[in-house]
Short mmCIF file of all heavy atoms in Angstrom, two decimals:
data_model
loop_
_atom_site.label_atom_id
_atom_site.label_comp_id
_atom_site.label_asym_id
_atom_site.label_seq_id
_atom_site.Cartn_x
_atom_site.Cartn_y
_atom_site.Cartn_z
N GLN A 1240 0.84 -1.15 -0.02
CA GLN A 1240 -0.01 -0.01 -0.01
C GLN A 1240 0.88 1.23 0.04
O GLN A 1240 2.00 1.22 0.46
CB GLN A 1240 -0.90 -0.01 1.21
CG GLN A 1240 -1.96 -1.10 1.24
CD GLN A 1240 -3.04 -0.90 0.28
OE1 GLN A 1240 -3.51 0.26 0.03
NE2 GLN A 1240 -3.46 -1.92 -0.42
N ALA A 1241 0.29 2.32 -0.48
CA ALA A 1241 1.05 3.60 -0.47
C ALA A 1241 1.47 3.93 0.95
O ALA A 1241 0.74 3.74 1.94
CB ALA A 1241 0.19 4.73 -1.05
N GLY A 1242 2.70 4.36 1.13
CA GLY A 1242 3.29 4.67 2.41
C GLY A 1242 4.03 3.50 3.02
O GLY A 1242 4.74 3.74 4.02
N GLY A 1243 3.97 2.38 2.39
CA GLY A 1243 4.63 1.19 2.91
C GLY A 1243 6.10 1.17 2.46
O GLY A 1243 6.62 2.08 1.76
N SER A 1244 6.80 0.10 2.84
CA SER A 1244 8.22 -0.09 2.51
C SER A 1244 8.51 -1.44 1.90
O SER A 1244 7.82 -2.39 2.17
CB SER A 1244 9.05 0.08 3.79
OG SER A 1244 8.90 1.40 4.35
N LEU A 1245 9.52 -1.47 1.13
CA LEU A 1245 10.08 -2.74 0.56
C LEU A 1245 11.61 -2.62 0.56
O LEU A 1245 12.16 -1.51 0.47
CB LEU A 1245 9.63 -2.98 -0.84
CG LEU A 1245 8.17 -3.49 -1.04
CD1 LEU A 1245 7.88 -3.50 -2.53
CD2 LEU A 1245 7.96 -4.84 -0.48
N ARG A 1246 12.26 -3.72 0.63
CA ARG A 1246 13.73 -3.79 0.52
C ARG A 1246 14.10 -4.73 -0.64
O ARG A 1246 13.83 -5.95 -0.55
CB ARG A 1246 14.39 -4.21 1.82
CG ARG A 1246 15.91 -4.06 1.82
CD ARG A 1246 16.60 -4.70 2.98
NE ARG A 1246 17.94 -4.23 3.20
CZ ARG A 1246 18.80 -4.86 3.97
NH1 ARG A 1246 18.46 -5.95 4.61
NH2 ARG A 1246 20.06 -4.34 4.13
N LEU A 1247 14.75 -4.22 -1.65
CA LEU A 1247 15.16 -5.05 -2.75
C LEU A 1247 16.61 -5.44 -2.55
O LEU A 1247 17.41 -4.74 -1.96
CB LEU A 1247 15.09 -4.24 -4.11
CG LEU A 1247 13.74 -3.61 -4.45
CD1 LEU A 1247 13.83 -2.95 -5.80
CD2 LEU A 1247 12.64 -4.67 -4.38
N SER A 1248 16.95 -6.67 -2.99
CA SER A 1248 18.29 -7.16 -2.95
C SER A 1248 18.73 -7.65 -4.28
O SER A 1248 17.92 -8.03 -5.11
CB SER A 1248 18.33 -8.38 -1.94
OG SER A 1248 18.01 -8.03 -0.71
N CYS A 1249 20.05 -7.55 -4.55
CA CYS A 1249 20.63 -8.00 -5.79
C CYS A 1249 21.88 -8.72 -5.46
O CYS A 1249 22.88 -8.11 -4.94
CB CYS A 1249 20.81 -6.80 -6.69
SG CYS A 1249 21.82 -7.18 -8.17
N VAL A 1250 21.97 -9.98 -5.79
CA VAL A 1250 23.17 -10.82 -5.53
C VAL A 1250 23.97 -10.92 -6.77
O VAL A 1250 23.44 -11.33 -7.84
CB VAL A 1250 22.79 -12.19 -4.97
CG1 VAL A 1250 24.01 -13.05 -4.71
CG2 VAL A 1250 21.97 -12.05 -3.63
N SER A 1251 25.25 -10.62 -6.65
CA SER A 1251 26.18 -10.71 -7.79
C SER A 1251 26.98 -12.01 -7.77
O SER A 1251 27.35 -12.42 -6.69
CB SER A 1251 27.11 -9.46 -7.82
OG SER A 1251 28.08 -9.63 -8.76
N SER A 1252 27.32 -12.49 -8.90
CA SER A 1252 28.15 -13.72 -8.99
C SER A 1252 29.63 -13.42 -8.99
O SER A 1252 30.49 -14.28 -8.89
CB SER A 1252 27.80 -14.51 -10.24
OG SER A 1252 28.17 -13.77 -11.41
N GLY A 1253 29.96 -12.11 -9.05
CA GLY A 1253 31.37 -11.68 -9.08
C GLY A 1253 31.60 -10.35 -8.52
O GLY A 1253 30.63 -9.61 -8.20
N VAL A 1254 32.83 -9.91 -8.51
CA VAL A 1254 33.20 -8.61 -8.02
C VAL A 1254 32.84 -7.50 -9.06
O VAL A 1254 33.12 -7.70 -10.30
CB VAL A 1254 34.73 -8.57 -7.70
CG1 VAL A 1254 35.11 -7.15 -7.29
CG2 VAL A 1254 35.03 -9.56 -6.55
N THR A 1255 32.32 -6.43 -8.61
CA THR A 1255 32.00 -5.30 -9.47
C THR A 1255 32.49 -4.02 -8.86
O THR A 1255 32.91 -3.99 -7.71
CB THR A 1255 30.48 -5.19 -9.74
OG1 THR A 1255 29.87 -4.81 -8.52
CG2 THR A 1255 29.92 -6.49 -10.21
N LEU A 1256 32.45 -2.98 -9.65
CA LEU A 1256 32.74 -1.59 -9.18
C LEU A 1256 31.39 -0.90 -8.79
O LEU A 1256 30.69 -1.42 -7.90
CB LEU A 1256 33.58 -0.87 -10.17
CG LEU A 1256 34.94 -1.44 -10.43
CD1 LEU A 1256 35.74 -0.59 -11.41
CD2 LEU A 1256 35.76 -1.58 -9.17
N SER A 1257 31.03 0.10 -9.51
CA SER A 1257 29.78 0.73 -9.21
C SER A 1257 28.59 -0.11 -9.47
O SER A 1257 28.61 -1.00 -10.39
CB SER A 1257 29.63 2.07 -10.04
OG SER A 1257 30.64 2.98 -9.69
N MET A 1258 27.52 0.05 -8.72
CA MET A 1258 26.27 -0.66 -8.99
C MET A 1258 25.13 0.30 -8.84
O MET A 1258 25.23 1.36 -8.24
CB MET A 1258 26.10 -1.80 -7.94
CG MET A 1258 27.19 -2.84 -8.00
SD MET A 1258 26.84 -4.27 -6.89
CE MET A 1258 25.60 -5.10 -7.81
N GLY A 1259 24.01 -0.02 -9.47
CA GLY A 1259 22.88 0.86 -9.49
C GLY A 1259 21.55 0.15 -9.64
O GLY A 1259 21.49 -1.05 -9.97
N TRP A 1260 20.51 0.92 -9.41
CA TRP A 1260 19.11 0.45 -9.58
C TRP A 1260 18.50 1.30 -10.66
O TRP A 1260 18.53 2.57 -10.60
CB TRP A 1260 18.34 0.54 -8.31
CG TRP A 1260 18.74 -0.50 -7.21
CD1 TRP A 1260 19.55 -0.28 -6.19
CD2 TRP A 1260 18.31 -1.83 -7.20
NE1 TRP A 1260 19.70 -1.40 -5.45
CE2 TRP A 1260 18.91 -2.36 -6.05
CE3 TRP A 1260 17.48 -2.64 -7.97
CZ2 TRP A 1260 18.72 -3.73 -5.64
CZ3 TRP A 1260 17.33 -3.99 -7.59
CH2 TRP A 1260 17.87 -4.47 -6.44
N PHE A 1261 17.76 0.68 -11.56
CA PHE A 1261 16.98 1.35 -12.58
C PHE A 1261 15.55 0.79 -12.51
O PHE A 1261 15.32 -0.28 -12.01
CB PHE A 1261 17.56 1.16 -13.96
CG PHE A 1261 18.87 1.81 -14.14
CD1 PHE A 1261 20.03 1.31 -13.59
CD2 PHE A 1261 18.99 2.99 -14.91
CE1 PHE A 1261 21.28 1.93 -13.77
CE2 PHE A 1261 20.20 3.63 -15.06
CZ PHE A 1261 21.34 3.11 -14.50
N ARG A 1262 14.56 1.52 -13.08
CA ARG A 1262 13.25 1.07 -13.12
C ARG A 1262 12.55 1.42 -14.35
O ARG A 1262 12.90 2.44 -15.02
CB ARG A 1262 12.47 1.56 -11.90
CG ARG A 1262 12.17 3.09 -11.89
CD ARG A 1262 11.50 3.51 -10.58
NE ARG A 1262 11.23 4.92 -10.61
CZ ARG A 1262 10.75 5.57 -9.52
NH1 ARG A 1262 10.54 4.93 -8.39
NH2 ARG A 1262 10.50 6.87 -9.57
N GLN A 1263 11.56 0.67 -14.71
CA GLN A 1263 10.78 0.93 -15.95
C GLN A 1263 9.28 0.67 -15.63
O GLN A 1263 8.93 -0.43 -15.34
CB GLN A 1263 11.20 0.10 -17.12
CG GLN A 1263 10.55 0.43 -18.42
CD GLN A 1263 11.26 -0.16 -19.60
OE1 GLN A 1263 12.00 -1.12 -19.45
NE2 GLN A 1263 11.06 0.42 -20.79
N ALA A 1264 8.50 1.68 -15.73
CA ALA A 1264 7.05 1.62 -15.54
C ALA A 1264 6.39 1.35 -16.86
O ALA A 1264 6.95 1.58 -17.92
CB ALA A 1264 6.51 2.94 -14.94
N PRO A 1265 5.16 0.78 -16.82
CA PRO A 1265 4.44 0.42 -18.06
C PRO A 1265 4.32 1.67 -18.97
O PRO A 1265 3.86 2.73 -18.53
CB PRO A 1265 3.08 0.03 -17.48
CG PRO A 1265 3.33 -0.50 -16.15
CD PRO A 1265 4.40 0.42 -15.61
N GLY A 1266 4.72 1.50 -20.20
CA GLY A 1266 4.62 2.53 -21.18
C GLY A 1266 5.61 3.67 -21.06
O GLY A 1266 5.49 4.64 -21.78
N LYS A 1267 6.57 3.54 -20.13
CA LYS A 1267 7.58 4.58 -19.92
C LYS A 1267 8.94 4.11 -20.16
O LYS A 1267 9.22 2.90 -20.18
CB LYS A 1267 7.43 5.12 -18.50
CG LYS A 1267 6.07 5.74 -18.20
CD LYS A 1267 6.00 6.34 -16.80
CE LYS A 1267 4.68 6.97 -16.51
NZ LYS A 1267 4.58 7.51 -15.13
N GLU A 1268 9.90 5.07 -20.28
CA GLU A 1268 11.29 4.71 -20.51
C GLU A 1268 11.97 4.32 -19.16
O GLU A 1268 11.56 4.72 -18.10
CB GLU A 1268 12.01 5.91 -21.17
CG GLU A 1268 11.50 6.31 -22.49
CD GLU A 1268 11.71 5.22 -23.54
OE1 GLU A 1268 12.73 4.55 -23.49
OE2 GLU A 1268 10.83 5.06 -24.37
N ARG A 1269 13.01 3.54 -19.32
CA ARG A 1269 13.81 3.17 -18.17
C ARG A 1269 14.50 4.42 -17.54
O ARG A 1269 15.00 5.27 -18.28
CB ARG A 1269 14.89 2.18 -18.57
CG ARG A 1269 15.81 1.65 -17.46
CD ARG A 1269 16.76 0.63 -17.97
NE ARG A 1269 17.56 1.10 -19.06
CZ ARG A 1269 18.41 0.40 -19.77
NH1 ARG A 1269 18.56 -0.89 -19.51
NH2 ARG A 1269 19.06 0.92 -20.78
N GLU A 1270 14.54 4.53 -16.29
CA GLU A 1270 15.15 5.61 -15.57
C GLU A 1270 16.06 5.18 -14.47
O GLU A 1270 15.78 4.11 -13.80
CB GLU A 1270 14.12 6.60 -15.02
CG GLU A 1270 13.23 6.03 -13.93
CD GLU A 1270 12.33 7.04 -13.25
OE1 GLU A 1270 12.63 8.28 -13.35
OE2 GLU A 1270 11.32 6.63 -12.74
N GLY A 1271 17.13 5.89 -14.21
CA GLY A 1271 18.01 5.61 -13.12
C GLY A 1271 17.37 5.96 -11.78
O GLY A 1271 16.73 7.07 -11.70
N VAL A 1272 17.52 5.18 -10.77
CA VAL A 1272 16.93 5.40 -9.49
C VAL A 1272 17.94 5.77 -8.42
O VAL A 1272 17.88 6.75 -7.72
CB VAL A 1272 16.13 4.20 -9.02
CG1 VAL A 1272 15.54 4.38 -7.60
CG2 VAL A 1272 14.97 3.90 -10.00
N ALA A 1273 19.01 4.90 -8.30
CA ALA A 1273 20.00 5.08 -7.28
C ALA A 1273 21.30 4.38 -7.74
O ALA A 1273 21.23 3.34 -8.44
CB ALA A 1273 19.52 4.58 -5.92
N ALA A 1274 22.42 4.81 -7.27
CA ALA A 1274 23.73 4.20 -7.56
C ALA A 1274 24.61 4.36 -6.38
O ALA A 1274 24.51 5.21 -5.54
CB ALA A 1274 24.31 4.79 -8.77
N ILE A 1275 25.61 3.43 -6.32
CA ILE A 1275 26.57 3.43 -5.22
C ILE A 1275 27.96 3.04 -5.76
O ILE A 1275 28.08 2.17 -6.60
CB ILE A 1275 26.09 2.50 -4.14
CG1 ILE A 1275 26.91 2.68 -2.84
CG2 ILE A 1275 26.04 1.03 -4.59
CD1 ILE A 1275 26.30 1.96 -1.63
N SER A 1276 29.00 3.63 -5.21
CA SER A 1276 30.35 3.36 -5.61
C SER A 1276 30.87 2.04 -4.96
O SER A 1276 30.22 1.51 -4.06
CB SER A 1276 31.26 4.56 -5.28
OG SER A 1276 31.29 4.77 -3.89
N THR A 1277 32.03 1.70 -5.34
CA THR A 1277 32.63 0.41 -4.94
C THR A 1277 32.63 0.19 -3.44
O THR A 1277 32.24 -0.90 -2.91
CB THR A 1277 34.05 0.27 -5.47
OG1 THR A 1277 34.08 0.57 -6.87
CG2 THR A 1277 34.52 -1.11 -5.19
N SER A 1278 33.10 1.21 -2.70
CA SER A 1278 33.19 1.08 -1.23
C SER A 1278 32.15 1.85 -0.47
O SER A 1278 32.34 2.14 0.71
CB SER A 1278 34.60 1.56 -0.80
OG SER A 1278 35.62 0.74 -1.38
#
């Protein structure tokens, strides 16, 4: 419901540098949401 919370997780099979989250809503273009550096 609106006002609620969720926690997404992403497990990687290897070492990476920067990582980020993107999203795509129905009928819309993909957009960047958040990103984080290596450390």
Side-chain angles (χ1 to χ4, degrees):
Q1240 294 288 319
S1244 298
L1245 285 173
R1246 191 189 196 196
L1247 306 183
S1248 298
C1249 171
V1250 179
S1251 173
S1252 67
V1254 176
T1255 67
L1256 297 181
S1257 298
M1258 299 185 74
W1260 290 97
F1261 292 76
R1262 67 186 182 187
Q1263 187 165 21
K1267 298 182 179 179
E1268 298 296 322
R1269 180 178 57 185
E1270 65 173 338
V1272 176
I1275 189 167
S1276 62
T1277 309
S1278 298

